[in-house]
Amino acid sequence: MVEDTSPWLARFPVTLFTTVMGLSGLTLALAEGERVLSLAHGMSILSALITVVVFMLVTAAYALKALRYTGAVQAEWNHPVSLAFFPAISISLLLLAAVALPWSEPISRGIWIIGAALQLVLTLAVISSWIGSRAFVHGHLTPAWFVPAVGNVIAPLAGAQLGYIEISWFFLSIGLLFWIVLLAMVINRLVFHDPLPERLQPTLVILIAPPAIGFLGWTSLNPGLDPMARILMNSALFFLIVVMVQLPTILRLPFSLSFWALSFPLAAATTASLRFSTLSGSMFHHWLGLVLLGILTLTLLVLLYKTLKSLASGHAF
């Protein structure tokens, strides 16, 4: 294999916005855990600060790449796998709006409006690319394809509390609809076609995220536990079990930035479990959420360490 000797900035991937998603998810999970345990918000505040710093660094680097190496950004957009990660930018903004909401409603509102508008634009752009003249084959389909469309279910997390009820229902409807469509497509690809390449196997964990975040979005707009909320929560629990069965194989793979795909789905499952325990009084979900919170925190620390080590060695990209 010929080593890519282009400048590191030209190789800076849009997939690094998944680090912001993972850290935002950790912040929301820590805040939920602190609320459940009636603890001070020390850890969630620290996590929020780290998340903001990482978002600013990643955004600045990718914006500079877009200015200096426009062709490299275009190549990512034209790539059938990396295309799906562009909405991670708008999803990061929607998550940051949810993170900021307890501390400043005006800041949260401003971030949410920008994130929601960008999410709609990127969703339309990616879906138009999928159904346009570009030819895709089954090997291009991975669980990462959930990110562009299903990422819309994140909008209600802050949108509902900010008063954007109908807009939040709009985004949630899009996300749940495409979750069902893409789930059938992804399962078909995983069962009847070639296995995922090693570097993409961590994306299997993304299967957990749509129903888990869907549950959080649904209960944000429809407080309480109705049948739909229970279906979403139990779907997330089932996919969590499926992923746990596959996890030993995934963890034996060499580290790459794709391992950040583990972070946000795990955070979503953690927060969903803790919220379900609050709404239902279920001790099983209470302890499951706390155990997952511990695993999530350890996972993020390991991912940060390995990413920094990989960046220092020059092998990250």
Side-chain angles (χ1 to χ4, degrees), residues 96-179:
L96 285 172
V99 168
L101 186 56
W103 322 113
S104 173
E105 182 176 317
I107 292 176
S108 175
R109 186 180 302 277
I111 296 172
W112 190 90
I113 290 172
I114 296 171
L118 185 58
Q119 176 65 25
L120 179 59
V121 169
L122 288 173
T123 298
L124 290 171
V126 172
I127 292 176
S128 297
S129 180
W130 285 348
I131 63 178
S133 58
R134 188 191 307 191
F136 291 96
V137 298
H138 65 82
H140 294 156
L141 180 63
T142 75
W145 279 39
F146 283 120
V147 175
V150 184
N152 288 283
V153 299
I154 293 171
L157 298 188
Q161 295 182 64
L162 291 169
Y164 301 113
I165 302 301
E166 292 306 322
I167 300 176
S168 294
W169 273 115
F170 172 76
F171 281 111
L172 183 67
S173 301
I174 296 170
L176 292 179
L177 174 65
F178 273 94
W179 172 48

Side-chain angles (χ1 to χ4, degrees), residues 39-297:
L39 299 176
H41 292 293
M43 291 299 295
S44 60
I45 292 175
L46 176 61
S47 179
L49 292 174
I50 294 173
T51 302
V52 171
V53 170
V54 171
F55 174 75
M56 292 174 67
L57 290 173
V58 173
T59 301
Y62 203 78
L64 188 58
K65 173 183 175 177
L67 290 173
R68 295 187 60 183
Y69 303 102
T70 307
V73 175
Q74 186 64 41
E76 280 190 291
W77 179 263
N78 291 330
H79 192 280
V81 176
S82 60
L83 168 66
F85 286 99
F86 274 87
I89 302 172
S90 53
I91 291 171
S92 295
L93 287 169
L94 292 172
L95 288 169
L96 285 172
V99 168
L101 186 56
W103 322 113
S104 173
E105 182 176 317
I107 292 176
S108 175
R109 186 180 302 277
I111 296 172
W112 190 90
I113 290 172
I114 296 171
L118 185 58
Q119 176 65 25
L120 179 59
V121 169
L122 288 173
T123 298
L124 290 171
V126 172
I127 292 176
S128 297
S129 180
W130 285 348
I131 63 178
S133 58
R134 188 191 307 191
F136 291 96
V137 298
H138 65 82
H140 294 156
L141 180 63
T142 75
W145 279 39
F146 283 120
V147 175
V150 184
N152 288 283
V153 299
I154 293 171
L157 298 188
Q161 295 182 64
L162 291 169
Y164 301 113
I165 302 301
E166 292 306 322
I167 300 176
S168 294
W169 273 115
F170 172 76
F171 281 111
L172 183 67
S173 301
I174 296 170
L176 292 179
L177 174 65
F178 273 94
W179 172 48
I180 296 171
V181 173
L182 289 169
L183 181 61
M185 294 171 60
V186 169
I187 294 297
N188 177 276
R189 186 258 189 269
L190 295 175
V191 173
F192 294 107
H193 298 284
D194 298 335
L196 289 173
E198 281 192 356
R199 290 177 66 85
L200 291 176
Q201 286 185 20
T203 64
L204 282 171
V205 185
I206 297 176
L207 290 169
I208 302 169
I213 288 294
F215 168 80
L216 294 172
W218 185 271
T219 52
S220 295
L221 288 166
N222 195 37
L225 286 179
D226 60 9
M228 185 62 183
R230 293 181 183 276
I231 289 171
L232 291 168
M233 183 67 237
N234 284 289
S235 297
L237 182 58
F238 172 73
F239 282 116
L240 178 64
I241 296 170
V242 170
V243 166
M244 289 302 176
V245 173
Q246 301 296 322
L247 204 55
T249 301
I250 295 173
L251 294 179
R252 284 196 293 266
L253 299 173
F255 176 77
S256 66
L257 292 179
S258 63
F259 270 81
W260 277 94
L262 277 66
S263 58
F264 181 69
L266 184 56
T270 301
T271 308
S273 296
L274 291 171
R275 181 174 296 183
F276 189 91
S277 73
T278 300
L279 295 173
S280 68
S282 167
M283 291 307 297
F284 168 77
H285 289 85
H286 174 84
W287 287 109
L288 174 63
L290 294 180
V291 169
L292 289 176
L293 183 58
I295 295 172
L296 172 65
T297 304

